Amino acid sequence: MIWFKPSILSPSYADARLGWGLAAAAGLAAAILLLIVLLLLRESWPVLQRVGGVRFFADQGWYPAEEMYGLAPMLWATLAASFGAVLLAGPLGVASALFCRHYAPFSVARLYRRMVTLLAGIPSVVFGFWGLTVLVPLLAQFQPPGASLLTGILILALMILPTVALTADAALAAVPDAYLRGAAALGLSRGATIAGVVLPAARGGIISGVLLATARALGETMAVLMVAGNVVQTPTSLFDPVRTLTANIALEMAYASGDHRAALFVSGLMLMGLVIILAAAAWRLSGGRLHG
Amino acid sequence: MKKHIVHHLLRISAAALMLTVTPLSQASDQKLVLTGSSTIAPLAVELGKRFEKLNPGVRVDVQSGGSSRGVNDVRSGLADIGMVSRALKDDEKDLKSFTIALDGVGIILHSGNPVKTLTDQQIIDIYTGKISNWREVGGKDGRITVVNKAGGRSTLELFLHYFKLKDSEIKAHVVIGDNQQGIKMVAGNPGAVGYVSIGAAEFEAGNGTPIRLLSMAGVAASVESVRNGSFPLARPLNLITKTEPVGLAKKFIEFSRSKEVNDLVQAQYFVPFVR
């Protein structure tokens, strides 16, 4: 009979207040996203209305002073740099997490985990500075100008490696012990256990970690700005200098006005769209069990 | 760059606050707000300090953010005086401008590059991609790395204007933001060519950074040649106001153009305005 009187289950007003407080916090977090999209739309509206959305993909180049607003080259550059970095850092990060969880002696694993955590805390601009003063001149000796898609990918890969490694490590740790004992009882080798039991079980967590890393790579600005050369062009080789959408905003926002400024907000809108598409794709990839 | 954006946000929030608290508040008589060119800002800060010392009770507030911001802020009334490091454009002629100093833009090479001078045509050909090897202009065999500035900067506008180029004609290999990034890029790449403020380049070269300023049309690129007006690639540094300046703004502009601040102008590697 007790469930006919729900008030007995939560007799205090404090509980109800907590509920409302939490709801307000959750609503605020969701509203921020909405507000950002609204702001981007409002600021970019004048230029979208005047020159139309198609021109941002169809124009031959990005010369705001000459009313040419082609963002497509920067879109490709952003995608190439991010996915290049994920291709490098993804397997490396997962492999290092597997080593740490299933092969390394306990003391080594603990030391390694501390170092990766530290690596994750290094500000991106430090990576960028190192890239500008060491990596770019080094590459310039073989393939001038040195500042290129490749240096961008390498710096981004360095930056997101700890994200992938740490989230993969956590996903592997979450695999139930019973699975491992079951595999051992069946006489599976360590390699077969990892391939047949551990990885499928940790798939959702690993994918969401890689997604997080991809989003970080897409949004990284200063480090890429310092090493990628910032020339607006569709990359045809790894040694081409490129400009990403984020670098475009950071380079020109302080110096832009009127339509130029509005066009930069369109860059922001496009980045937002990219992240949303990415999130949707990851959701589908993991079969809707992203956090399961 | 991030700093500029932060400044921008701060300015917006400050403006919003002012709107809510005192709708009619204008920059008060005892406070002078200057915004604009990041080239002029360090000089304006020094000018402001001395001005404050000479006029007790006065506060001079300087914020950088580019010449375009200086024009916008003066138009909208957010700033009393704008800092613009170029001559006013045709659609800005309604504003009043006062030159306080001159700045030259110099072509820089790595100090290991044997090329001593380039003609205007050679520079145009290099920047448009017609010349791509240093051998073609009398240097060692090696690819030329063309360093250009990002859109909206007054150095870029001055460069394009002088060589009668359009931004879309330039085939750049690296695009940079501020002078320091350009100097680092050229210092780290023996095949690079770029252009930056002469003051900044002369200072860095004097401090051992491996870059060299190129003479143009037979005139050495130096603070000296900009001063005597012989260096062709130079720009005026202007203070601008919306209407004919009065009161404190007028006093500050006259102070900035007077002989008693020549030492401050020179300390920033600029060339004092001579009447």
Side-chain angles (χ1 to χ4, degrees), chain A residues 246-267:
Chain A
T246 46
N248 190 41
I249 298 175
L251 268 175
E252 300 191 354
M253 197 45 133
Y255 298 85
S257 58
D259 277 356
H260 182 185
R261 186 168 174 278
L264 289 177
F265 275 97
V266 179
S267 305

Side-chain angles (χ1 to χ4, degrees), chain B residues 146-182:
Chain B
V146 175
V147 181
N148 196 25
K149 283 233 174 182
R153 280 169 173 72
S154 57
T155 6
L156 169 71
E157 281 172 23
L158 180 69
F159 183 84
L160 295 178
H161 180 76
Y162 176 80
F163 289 107
K164 298 188 175 56
L165 285 170
K166 279 199 293 187
D167 200 11
S168 50
E169 291 170 328
I170 289 185
K171 304 272 181 291
H173 301 122
V174 178
V175 175
I176 49 141
D178 57 20
N179 290 329
Q180 283 307 321
Q181 201 188 352

Side-chain angles (χ1 to χ4, degrees), chain A residues 95-201:
Chain A
S96 73
L98 279 173
F99 167 75
C100 174
R101 265 299 146 199
H102 292 281
Y103 290 89
F106 180 71
S107 58
V108 173
R110 204 176 58 173
L111 184 72
Y112 163 85
R113 224 168 274 140
R114 287 220 178 116
M115 284 175 66
V116 173
T117 315
L118 265 181
L119 190 64
I122 294 179
S124 61
V125 74
V126 174
F127 285 113
F129 195 67
W130 175 77
L132 179 64
T133 52
V134 178
L135 204 56
V136 170
L138 193 70
L139 191 67
Q141 291 173 12
F142 310 103
Q143 279 287 340
S148 59
L149 178 60
L150 181 64
T151 45
I153 288 176
L154 288 175
I155 292 291
L156 278 179
L158 265 182
M159 277 184 44
I160 64 174
L161 180 62
T163 311
V164 178
L166 288 175
T167 51
D169 188 61
L172 293 179
V175 173
D177 251 3
Y179 289 18
L180 300 180
R181 287 200 204 104
L186 288 171
L188 291 182
S189 70
R190 212 184 275 187
T193 309
I194 288 172
V197 177
V198 174
L199 281 181

